[in-house]
Amino acid sequence: MSVGPTGFRVDLAQTPEERNQGLSGRDQLDPGAGMLFIFEQDRPYSFWMKEMRFPLDFLWIDSDCTVADITVDVPPPQPGTELADLLTYRPQVPVRYVLEINAGDVAAQGIAIGDPVAFQGTIPPEHGC
């Protein structure tokens, strides 16, 4: 997929189980990689960093296939943090997709709100970007 001129290789999280698992438990995310969360309708979805081991940037993408909001440098929780104490992150507007990438990629690639998003490769065409 691409965000503006920047390409990312992504794993997909389409089912409730895949979205719940997300990147939890992984030790790292390769450079230029990400996880794309695909939802059926536009909402201001909440995300947390349950069992995360590295920081992320979140790109909140609307159904018009543009970056609608950005959250940068989201840290992993401290070891032993209870689920009830985990912070949640959400966009300022309803979105259809969320792309998690390595922290710092937004700044390094100059990604901004309003950038166009395009899906390629194995992303099912019914998702429309």
Side-chain angles (χ1 to χ4, degrees):
M1 71 174 288
S2 63
V3 179
T6 305
F8 292 96
R9 294 175 317 281
V10 296
D11 292 329
L12 301 181
Q14 302 177 83
T15 67
E17 296 79 18
E18 291 168 339
R19 291 188 296 249
N20 187 51
Q21 176 64 37
L23 293 168
S24 295
R26 292 192 190 186
D27 290 325
Q28 65 180 20
L29 189 57
D30 290 338
M35 179 165 276
L36 180 65
F37 293 77
I38 299 173
F39 296 96
E40 292 76 34
Q41 48 190 307
D42 295 357
R43 289 190 180 158
Y45 296 98
S46 292
F47 276 60
W48 61 357
M49 297 288 281
K50 177 184 166 201
E51 299 175 6
M52 285 299 301
R53 299 178 181 157
F54 54 93
L56 296 171
D57 289 346
F58 294 162
L59 298 179
W60 309 94
I61 302 164
D62 63 24
S63 55
D64 292 331
C65 302
T66 59
V67 176
D69 203 357
I70 297 172
T71 305
V72 296
D73 298 321
V74 177
Q78 294 294 319
T81 302
E82 297 292 327
L83 290 181
D85 295 330
L86 290 174
L87 297 176
T88 58
Y89 303 88
R90 65 184 332 157
Q92 298 294 313
V93 297
V95 297
R96 178 75 51 100
Y97 312 100
V98 180
L99 176 61
E100 293 181 343
I101 56 179
N102 283 307
D105 280 356
V106 165
Q109 300 301 325
I111 296 170
I113 292 173
D115 281 354
V117 174
F119 297 161
Q120 299 111 12
T122 60
I123 300 173
E126 66 266 19
H127 296 299
C129 286

